Amino acid sequence: MDTPTNTALTVLLAEYGYTHQSLADEVNQASGRIFGRPGAATDRDVRRWISGTVRWPTHRYLLPLAEIFDRPPEAMGFVPRGRTSRLPAPPPSVRPEQEEPVKRRAFLTTSTATTLTLVLRLEETPVRGHLTMTDIDRIHATTGRLDAHFIAIGGGALLTVATTYIDHLRKTADGCTYGPRVEQALHRALSNLHSTAGWAAYDAGDTPTSRLHHAAALQTAILTKDGHAQARAWADLSVQSRAEGRHREALNINRAALQTRHARQDPRIAALLHARLAIGHARLGNPSASARSLLAAQKAHDHFDTTAPPPPWLRFLDAAEIAGLAAIAHRATGKLPDAERATAQALHLLKPSVHRNRAYYGIQLAQLQLAQGDTTTARATATAIDTTTVSSPRIARRLATLHHQLTTT
């Protein structure tokens, strides 16, 4: 039986500019920092990881890889042995000194949370003393890694990790001294963390907790007078309202968010809000308004600045995601063939490393095929959905429902 190629790791090598040998050298250096002595990885090891011959490397390689690429093993395309993806912590002799270690590690109750915490390096953020912009840069890098984790594989244990880091930064805010510029940046990070925690709770199906975090994200963004964070919070609250069936409220939130300065000036935010506005119009039975919003989203996408990287939370928004959101709008207006074509387009355009959305839109495609009476194709589509590297209870439930529908059809 042929082993599947690790396309996610292949993409990462190209993205970071590594050759097989240079990645092996980097792994060995990182191993020296983590374990106190250099590793022994070779280019042959890297080839075996990429070919899929080795699907779950030893922890002496996994921990360095997680540090190098700032993501957990599943997001690098590795497949756990058996039921666990637990990574051991670095040896105590080389672990950085910590204050209140029991409190800081109390949330490590699941294997995924352990992995995420090691990757995030939460110990780098001080809770007393003077806070500088260098500390803020590390905090924003950490929140970016959280967003990247969600985009790649979903919420999973992210809610526990994000809320723990929020508590940690609250202690930082109370226990450190800093100037106005640092204070604003710190609260911007807190707003982004609440948004990420809200999405993680949404992925877990915990609606009340999701709404609380999204509301806290908006409140914090308003207090710090950060327009970009406010735009993110408003966009997230519109999805929250839609998920709870309050489609008119979601529509009004989207309209208000589109009037903000950042939405008018940032094509990425505008594209996201217009696409979600299209879904709102569709759910309220206004197909013509939905079509106009989809066109506006596409026009905004055409004006993306591709020379500058987007903020981490917006990296998911590309042509694939806009096609996927258009499919949801088409489905809501009853245009199932259009929805199927748009979903297939989204799957075709998705990057190999975006496992969560690939599973999400794969399920959506099978549901659309089933709704149109094409049971055979729907079964084939459902069988091809790979959730091995996805950590999302919401998607797992959707897939289980899909399989149940297929078995009873």
Side-chain angles (χ1 to χ4, degrees):
M1 180 178 175
D2 294 335
T3 55
T5 300
N6 187 338
T7 55
L9 187 60
T10 303
V11 170
L12 285 172
L13 259 72
E15 180 181 340
Y16 282 71
Y18 284 119
T19 63
H20 293 170
Q21 185 59 56
S22 65
L23 178 60
D25 294 340
E26 189 70 22
V27 166
N28 292 334
Q29 291 180 25
S31 184
R33 293 191 298 271
I34 295 171
F35 297 101
R37 62 182 187 276
T42 66
D43 60 333
R44 181 172 179 270
D45 292 306
V46 178
R47 287 196 299 271
R48 295 177 72 200
W49 302 335
I50 289 174
S51 68
T53 304
V54 175
R55 305 184 74 191
W56 188 260
T58 175
H59 72 278
R60 286 189 59 81
Y61 295 145
L62 274 180
L63 282 173
L65 286 166
E67 178 182 296
I68 292 165
F69 291 120
D70 283 339
R71 64 200 70 201
E74 294 90 341
M76 294 183 284
F78 295 120
V79 180
R81 300 188 189 104
R83 297 182 178 179
T84 180
S85 59
R86 180 178 294 278
L87 279 180
S93 60
V94 295
R95 210 180 301 170
E97 291 297 319
Q98 303 176 27
E99 298 176 5
E100 302 178 351
V102 174
K103 290 182 180 179
R104 290 193 179 196
R105 295 290 184 176
F107 63 93
L108 302 184
T109 57
T110 68
S111 58
T112 306
T114 305
T115 302
L116 276 174
T117 304
L118 292 173
V119 173
L120 290 172
R121 301 188 295 278
L122 303 189
E123 297 81 11
E124 293 182 356
T125 306
V127 293
R128 60 177 60 91
H130 186 68
L131 201 68
T132 68
M133 284 305 298
T134 300
D135 296 312
I136 292 296
D137 289 342
R138 285 200 296 266
I139 291 170
H140 281 295
T142 298
T143 59
R145 288 192 286 270
L146 276 166
D147 286 325
H149 172 88
F150 181 86
I151 292 170
I153 67 174
L158 194 62
L159 177 59
T160 304
V161 176
T163 53
T164 300
Y165 195 43
I166 288 170
D167 292 340
H168 184 88
L169 290 189
R170 294 291 183 194
K171 293 177 183 177
T172 296
D174 290 338
C176 292
T177 60
Y178 38 79
R181 180 168 168 244
V182 170
E183 181 179 25
Q184 184 179 36
L186 178 60
H187 283 89
R188 183 188 307 123
L190 279 165
S191 177
N192 288 334
L193 270 171
H194 276 297
S195 291
T196 303
W199 273 103
Y202 172 86
D203 233 23
D206 187 348
T207 300
T209 300
S210 180
R211 175 164 283 278
L212 284 173
H213 278 294
H214 287 316
L218 179 60
Q219 177 182 337
T220 308
I222 290 173
L223 287 175
T224 196
K225 298 179 181 178
D226 187 295
H228 203 279
Q230 289 179 46
R232 178 182 184 179
W234 280 121
D236 291 344
L237 277 171
S238 72
V239 175
Q240 183 72 46
S241 296
R242 192 177 78 218
E244 295 174 12
R246 295 196 295 274
H247 302 301
R248 179 67 63 185
E249 178 180 285
L251 192 74
N252 290 334
I253 290 174
N254 263 301
R255 281 173 170 162
L258 278 166
Q259 299 305 312
T260 63
R261 178 172 60 87
H262 277 73
R264 293 194 301 270
Q265 294 180 349
D266 190 330
R268 293 182 185 275
I269 294 176
L272 178 64
L273 291 171
H274 278 300
R276 290 179 176 170
L277 186 64
I279 297 173
H281 283 307
R283 292 276 171 85
L284 291 170
N286 192 339
S288 58
S290 178
R292 287 194 297 272
S293 293
L294 287 178
L295 180 60
Q298 187 58 57
K299 287 182 177 178
H301 174 264
D302 293 340
H303 288 91
F304 281 10
D305 180 4
T306 56
T307 63
W313 74 275
L314 268 177
R315 287 176 187 163
F316 75 99
L317 188 65
D318 52 16
E321 180 66 10
I322 290 176
L325 293 172
I328 297 173
H330 291 320
R331 185 180 186 179
T333 56
K335 299 176 181 177
L336 300 188
D338 289 343
E340 182 180 354
R341 282 191 291 273
T343 304
Q345 182 185 19
L347 287 166
H348 175 71
L349 294 173
L350 274 175
K351 298 174 183 177
S353 59
V354 186
H355 303 291
R356 179 191 181 274
N357 278 9
R358 184 167 297 281
Y360 180 92
Y361 287 125
I363 295 168
Q364 179 168 291
L365 181 60
Q367 289 173 332
L368 288 164
Q369 291 163 343
L370 183 61
Q372 294 175 87
D374 192 352
T375 306
T376 302
T377 305
R379 285 199 178 99
T381 300
T383 302
I385 296 170
D386 181 11
T387 58
T388 306
T389 55
V390 176
S391 178
S392 169
R394 178 177 290 272
I395 289 178
R397 285 193 292 270
R398 288 189 67 208
L399 184 58
T401 300
L402 171 62
H403 283 303
H404 175 72
Q405 291 171 337
L406 288 168
T407 57
T408 56
T409 299

